[in-house]
Structures are given as structure tokens and as C-alpha cells.
Amino acid sequence: MSATASTMHRAQVGVIGLGVMGQNLALNLEEHGQSVVVWNHSPERVTHFLEEHGSNRRFLGAGTVAELTRSLTSPRRILLMIKAGDPVDEMLRELAPYLASGDIVMDGGNSFFRDTQRREAALRERNIHFLGMGVSGGEEGARYGPSLMPGGPREAYEQVRSLLESIAAKTDSGPCVTYVGPDGAGHFVKMVHNGIEYGDMQLIAEAYDILRKVLGLGSPELAGIFAEWNRGPLESYLIEITAQIFTVRDDVTGRPLVDMVLDQAGQKGTGKWTVQAALDLSVPVPTIAAAMDARLLSSKKQERLAANRQLETPVEGCPKGDAKELIASVHDALYASKICAYTQGMRLIGAASEAYGWDVHLKEIARIWKGGCIIRARLLDSIMQAYEQQPGLSTLLLDSALASRLLKAEPGWRRAVATALQSGVPIPAMAAALSYSDTYRAAGLPQNLTQAQRDYFGAHTYQRIDQPEAEFVHTDWPSLARKAGSKSGGRA
């Protein structure tokens, strides 16, 4: 049944915001036994939602925020599905007069974790619980089972745990929801999820670019290749939809529709936040950062067209070699680079957990990403196993199973990267992932020269390689260089 708040018994959950995600989560909640009251700033959305979904369903609509809060059982459970940023603060101010001690407000948008920390602390003073909850899975996930990443007071999570478990995606490892940690932990993990997503999408785009530009493959061949890849180690939601995208034709031109899509990728901020947070925590995330740069460069379409006319590109005449061999190499490069992207994201979550005292369980994060979310992939089973065997693992690159797969893929990885570079095909994320792997395992790096330069011009001091535990020292490099020059007669 459907009704207005004034003509129906109290509901169990309130949903504020009836965009696509809000509507689908409301439907998901109702289908799992919850009576739901909905409200939106635009009243016509509430009316339309009830007209479309209200018949024989446990929905009611509220005309005001006050009416929504009055229509809920106590303690109230309210889910915000609104745009991140100022709108969340405005909504909390609007709600504040009607909230009571013990009420629970859940923010399901992509809020910045620092904002979530601030909001949680402010509401805690009134004994109102605030959960910053990452929601991943897009429209379909919200409707049929998302991955949920709630952070905030543990007692509040326990009160809504059964509700969240009922609507979350399910895998052989359980419902895709867990208590992430205090205050902003949930939104931080969702932010990093999106950063990994940026990296993974860019890596797939680069694999596509190599295959189409170097081998000249069209969408039908690419659809077959990606479908085949989705039956192996690369199996994932993003590989699956990529294969499907290549099968769609444009009704107007008859060409593959993907060829008609302008090559400018948008973004909503979570990728940028991931890179900024990584810098703040001194965690290198070069694959994710390269993906961000690639999107930014893609937006400079007119500049790129001008540069294309002026600067010669070296795509002509590159030896292609054996097509099957290159396809296999691109597969291995994509898989190894994907491992690096997840490694960087997990290490960032671990660093934040330590810095902010969140006690995030990385195995649990891998578990809840196995279903519902955009980065769900077969690889997550291996990541779960890595953290199960070594809960304190500093980096996934030190897990023996993942390390062996990386080494097995390495020859093809290098071959694909070399071919792309020789052909003028940009592969910023794939190359960054390879350099990350090479740098991490290098016994010696050229930063000895960097530190010598810093000491030369800024007296920043350095440590000696033969006395690494000793105090930092400073050298008068200019004087020694002059002496060395005089002894050699001024010759370099």
C-alpha cells in the first residue's frame, strides 16, 4: 500500500533524495521487508515515485522533512542519498530540529571523508549517530544488491546491521557489507575504491588502445577478446561490460557505438581525493595518479587536436610481430598492472587506518568488494587469501602467490609496454604500474644523487650508505668540487 505520512502507520526507514540511486535503494529496502518513507526537495518526484511504485507496496511519501521524521519509528533510521558537499550540511541543518537522541543518519553519497569526520563529531555531541556509508554498484547495484562500506559509531552499525546485510550483494563469502571503522573510515574506503576503479578503467582503456592501434582490431574482434579474458584471471565486472560495449551498434551510423563516443572522460572528485590523500599519507599511488592525469588530458580535446596537427606521431612503421603473441602480452600487462592498482589502494587504506586509528580489516574490505561494486573481480579472492595468511601484510607485492603471478606476467607486461611506447600509443597507467613494480623491488635507486643535490644547494644533509644508522651529515660540496676541479686542471 502507499499513502501519505499522515494516513499510514510509522515507517521503519526514511530515504531522503529520490535520484536514481535513492529510488533504487528505497525499492531494495522495501523488497527486503522494510516500510519506507521518502522525501525529496522536489515534491513532484515523491508523487511520481508513489504513483509508479506505491501500489501494494509499503511506501509513503512525506511533504516536509518534519513530516518524514514524525512518520518514522524510534530510533529513527534515515538514509541520505543526495549530492555530496554543501547539500549534505544543509540537509543536516534542516533535519537537526527534528532529530532525537539515538537517531541514526546514514550518508550514502560520495562525501569527502574529512567532512564525514566533522559531521559525525558534531552530531555525536547530541548523541545522534552518523554513519558515512560508501555505496558502490551503480543503479543496478542499488536496486538489487550494492557493496556497502559504513563507518561511524559501532553501536549504530550494529543497530542497522541486519538491514544493511539484507539489501547488500551476496557472494560465497557472505553479504557485501561490513563495519569499516569509526568516523570517516567508510567514506575513505569508498574513495579508495573509486581510485582503484579509475586505475582499472584506464588500464582497460590502454589495453584496448594498443589492440586497436597496433593490431588494427575492430569492435567485433575486441568483443571476442575481452569476453575470452573474462573467463580467466581477468574476470571482473569491468572486463565483462567492456566486452558488451564492443557489441553495440550506433542506430544512426551503423558503426560500433563506442567509436561515436567523444574521447573525453569526466570525473566527480573521488579519484582526485584519493591522490591527495595518498600524498598526505606519503603513500605512492602512481597507477591511480596516472589514470587521473589521463582523464584530465582527455578533457583538453581542442589542444590535443592542435598538437596532433603540429607534432608528428610515431605510429607508422612499428613492427607488430605476431598478433596472438601481442594479444597475450597485453592480457598479461593488464593483469599485472591491475594487481599494482589494487596493491596501491589497499596500502593507502592500511596507512589511513594506522594514521587515524580506524583498525580497518583489509581482508574484510576485499571480501565486501567481491560483489555489487564496480571493481568486483576474481582477483579479490586472492587478495582475501593474502590478508588471511598475513593480516599485517604491508603490501600485496610481498604475498608469495600474487608475486609469482606478477613475475609470470612480467615478460608479456614488458613486451606490451615496449610495443606501445615504440608505436606512440599512450599508456600512462600501465607504464606507471610497471615502474612502480620495478622501483619497489630495486635494491638501489638513483635517489642517492637526489639527496646529494639537496645537500649541495640546501644543506639538507644525508646518511652514508656504509653507516645507515648513524646521524645525518652535511658536505661542503662546492668546496670539494672546486678542489677536485683544480686537481684535474679544470677538466670535467
Side-chain angles (χ1 to χ4, degrees):
M1 60 181 169
S2 64
T4 62
S6 60
T7 63
M8 184 178 171
H9 294 298
R10 291 187 177 185
Q12 297 162 293
V13 185
V15 175
I16 292 179
L18 288 177
V20 173
M21 292 291 286
Q23 288 189 43
N24 284 348
L25 280 168
L27 291 167
N28 191 347
L29 285 162
E30 194 275 340
E31 284 186 357
H32 286 88
Q34 305 294 314
S35 54
V36 183
V37 56
V38 298
W39 180 85
N40 196 85
H41 266 298
S42 303
E44 59 272 15
R45 284 205 174 186
V46 176
T47 302
H48 179 72
F49 179 80
L50 293 177
E51 288 175 349
E52 187 172 358
H53 303 292
S55 180
N56 299 317
R57 308 283 292 266
R58 288 168 294 182
F59 287 117
L60 64 150
T64 65
V65 169
E67 189 178 345
L68 177 136
T69 56
R70 286 197 303 268
S71 70
L72 287 166
T73 56
S74 184
R76 301 176 182 90
R77 300 180 296 179
I78 300 172
L79 174 61
L80 307 183
M81 293 305 299
I82 59 180
K83 186 177 180 181
D86 291 340
V88 177
D89 289 316
E90 292 167 8
M91 191 70 252
L92 291 175
R93 282 193 291 269
E94 199 169 344
L95 272 171
Y98 310 107
L99 296 177
S101 176
D103 287 347
I104 301 170
V105 179
M106 297 171 279
D107 175 13
N110 277 331
S111 291
F112 184 48
F113 81 100
R114 290 291 193 189
D115 291 336
T116 301
Q117 289 177 314
R118 169 177 54 79
R119 291 162 185 154
E120 192 275 331
L123 289 172
R124 192 192 320 140
E125 293 182 358
R126 293 183 52 199
N127 199 33
I128 295 167
H129 302 306
F130 186 75
L131 292 174
M133 183 171 68
V135 179
S136 180
E139 299 176 24
E140 184 177 350
R143 181 68 180 84
Y144 300 108
S147 174
L148 300 172
M149 294 151 258
R154 182 74 192 231
E155 66 173 290
Y157 171 74
E158 293 300 336
Q159 291 182 53
V160 296
R161 178 176 180 170
S162 61
L163 179 153
L164 298 180
E165 287 181 348
S166 72
I167 66 170
K170 311 295 190 299
T171 72
D172 56 2
S173 297
C176 294
V177 60
T178 193
Y179 176 68
V180 175
D183 54 75
H187 274 142
F188 189 95
V189 168
K190 176 55 164 57
M191 175 191 77
V192 176
H193 165 285
N194 286 20
I196 296 171
E197 179 185 312
Y198 275 52
D200 204 356
M201 292 175 70
Q202 177 63 26
L203 291 168
I204 293 170
E206 291 173 14
Y208 152 67
D209 214 20
I210 296 171
L211 296 177
R212 67 167 176 164
K213 288 181 177 175
V214 177
L215 294 180
L217 300 181
S219 286
E221 296 93 342
L222 291 167
I225 289 169
F226 277 87
E228 178 64 28
W229 287 356
N230 198 48
R231 292 188 283 270
L234 280 172
E235 180 187 354
S236 67
Y237 172 73
L238 286 171
I239 294 291
E240 177 187 355
I241 67 168
T242 300
Q244 294 174 5
I245 285 169
F246 288 130
T247 67
V248 179
R249 291 273 168 180
D250 178 29
D251 290 339
V252 177
T253 65
R255 297 176 58 189
L257 183 56
V258 68
D259 293 346
M260 304 306 298
V261 177
L262 187 65
D263 56 334
Q264 294 184 173
Q267 55 178 302
K268 292 187 176 180
T270 48
K272 178 182 71 175
W273 295 341
T274 302
V275 175
Q276 289 175 332
L279 288 171
D280 291 339
L281 292 165
S282 300
V283 177
V285 290
T287 310
I288 297 170
M292 273 297 306
D293 289 342
R295 291 200 187 191
L296 293 172
L297 278 166
S298 79
S299 69
K300 312 296 183 184
K301 179 69 174 182
Q302 295 307 314
E303 292 181 40
R304 289 191 289 112
L305 289 174
N308 179 263
R309 290 189 294 267
Q310 185 171 338
L311 301 172
E312 184 178 351
T313 54
V315 294
E316 300 273 343
C318 174
K320 298 177 182 179
D322 180 79
K324 288 185 178 180
E325 182 182 48
L326 182 56
I327 292 170
S329 295
V330 173
H331 169 282
D332 290 350
L334 180 53
Y335 184 63
S337 299
K338 184 185 185 82
I339 291 174
C340 289
Y342 278 83
T343 295
Q344 292 162 28
M346 287 300 202
R347 187 155 196 181
L348 178 55
I349 293 172
S353 177
E354 183 176 352
Y356 306 127
W358 287 337
D359 192 27
V360 178
H361 292 235
L362 296 180
K363 178 191 170 185
E364 273 288 276
I365 302 306
R367 183 188 68 77
I368 67 171
W369 285 350
K370 283 182 59 177
C373 73
I374 304 302
I375 64 170
R376 59 187 186 265
R378 182 187 293 190
L379 176 61
L380 286 160
D381 278 313
S382 299
I383 293 174
M384 276 185 64
Q385 292 168 11
Y387 288 120
E388 182 174 7
Q389 293 169 5
Q390 299 182 71
L393 186 65
S394 62
T395 172
L396 290 170
L397 295 185
L398 294 180
D399 174 70
S400 58
L402 289 171
S404 66
R405 294 182 201 176
L406 205 69
L407 291 174
K408 183 178 179 182
E410 186 175 333
W413 193 8
R414 294 190 185 280
R415 191 179 303 116
V417 167
T419 299
L421 294 176
Q422 290 170 357
S423 304
V425 178
I427 49 163
M430 204 173 279
L434 181 56
S435 290
Y436 174 79
S437 172
D438 285 342
T439 302
Y440 185 75
R441 55 184 159 164
L445 290 172
Q447 274 63 47
N448 57 321
L449 176 58
T450 303
Q451 195 63 17
Q453 292 169 329
R454 295 182 73 241
D455 190 48
Y456 186 109
F457 63 71
H460 293 291
T461 73
Y462 62 94
Q463 291 171 292
R464 291 181 57 87
I465 196 169
D466 55 350
Q467 301 175 34
E469 304 300 325
E471 293 184 1
F472 284 75
V473 296
H474 168 61
T475 293
D476 185 353
W477 297 89
S479 295
L480 293 179
R482 284 193 294 270
K483 290 180 182 177
S486 65
K487 289 179 181 179
S488 63
R491 295 188 301 274

